[in-house]
């Protein structure tokens, strides 16, 4: 059900034909009923959820996306948002997007100006974020005042 609030396509499919949407995503009767009850709210809130998720992803990989031309960067983000339902915690979503960036920029490396630099930057930002997440995760698990 989370996909309907984070994808324009999923939201539009749901609003157009809620029962077909429910069948496509194997929703049970309770889930379908809940979505129908939230129909108007979903229509209004989905763009806000998408914009928030987009800001989170682009804010995590600003250098890589900044090295790409604006159209390519926007296409990669939009395709990810449409194809990949969000996952919790948000770090997992950010990591998955970073992995996609690494794959896609590696494919573009030979056909894009400075493509090898862009691919290296994607790998660097993913590595940087991974170290940051590991460090902050460890810090959150260590009780205050106790050295780890």
């Amino acid at each position: 059900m989370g996909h309907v609030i984070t994808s324009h396509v999923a939201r539009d499919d749901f609003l157009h034909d809620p029962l077909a949407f429910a069948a496509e995503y194997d929703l049970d009767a309770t889930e379908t009923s809940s979505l129908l009850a939230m129909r108007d709210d979903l229509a209004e809130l989905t763009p806000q959820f998408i914009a928030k998720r987009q800001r989170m992803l682009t804010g995590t990989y600003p250098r890589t996306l900044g090295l790409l031309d604006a159209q390519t960067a926007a296409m990669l983000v939009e395709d990810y948002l449409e194809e990949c339902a969000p996952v919790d915690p948000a770090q997992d979503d950010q990591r998955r997007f970073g992995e996609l960036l690494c794959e896609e920029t590696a494919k573009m490396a030979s056909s894009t100006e400075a493509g090898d630099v862009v691919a290296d930057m994607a790998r660097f930002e993913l590595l940087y974020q991974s170290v940051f997440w590991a460090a902050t995760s460890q810090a959150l698990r260590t009780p205050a005042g106790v050295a780890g």
Side-chain angles (χ1 to χ4, degrees), residues 69-127:
D69 66 81
Q71 183 178 0
T72 301
M75 179 195 67
L76 286 170
V77 173
E78 183 66 26
D79 286 351
Y80 178 82
L81 291 171
E82 290 300 327
E83 296 299 321
C84 301
V87 292
D88 281 328
Q91 290 174 355
D92 289 349
D93 202 22
Q94 293 166 310
R95 181 176 293 109
R96 189 174 59 176
F97 179 64
E99 291 167 353
L100 173 90
L101 275 179
C102 289
E103 291 171 19
E104 294 300 317
T105 56
K107 290 177 193 173
M108 293 183 231
S110 63
S111 62
T112 304
E113 184 178 345
D116 54 337
V117 173
V118 177
D120 285 345
M121 182 57 71
R123 288 190 298 273
F124 168 76
E125 283 192 301
L126 179 58
L127 179 61

Side-chain angles (χ1 to χ4, degrees), residues 134-147:
T136 56
S137 174
Q138 179 61 35
L140 293 175
R141 287 193 300 264
T142 304
V146 177

Side-chain angles (χ1 to χ4, degrees), residues 8-59:
H8 290 293
V9 172
R11 181 205 56 186
D12 293 346
D13 288 349
F14 167 71
L15 293 174
H16 175 72
D17 190 347
L19 297 178
F21 178 87
E24 180 180 344
Y25 286 91
D26 297 321
L27 302 182
D28 63 30
T30 303
E31 292 169 324
T32 302
S33 175
S34 295
L35 273 178
L36 289 171
M38 297 184 298
R39 182 183 182 133
D40 293 338
D41 291 335
L42 289 173
E44 182 180 333
L45 295 175
T46 296
Q48 295 169 35
F49 283 115
I50 293 170
K52 180 180 178 183
R53 188 172 174 219
Q54 183 176 12
R55 283 191 308 273
M56 176 192 67
L57 295 173
T58 57

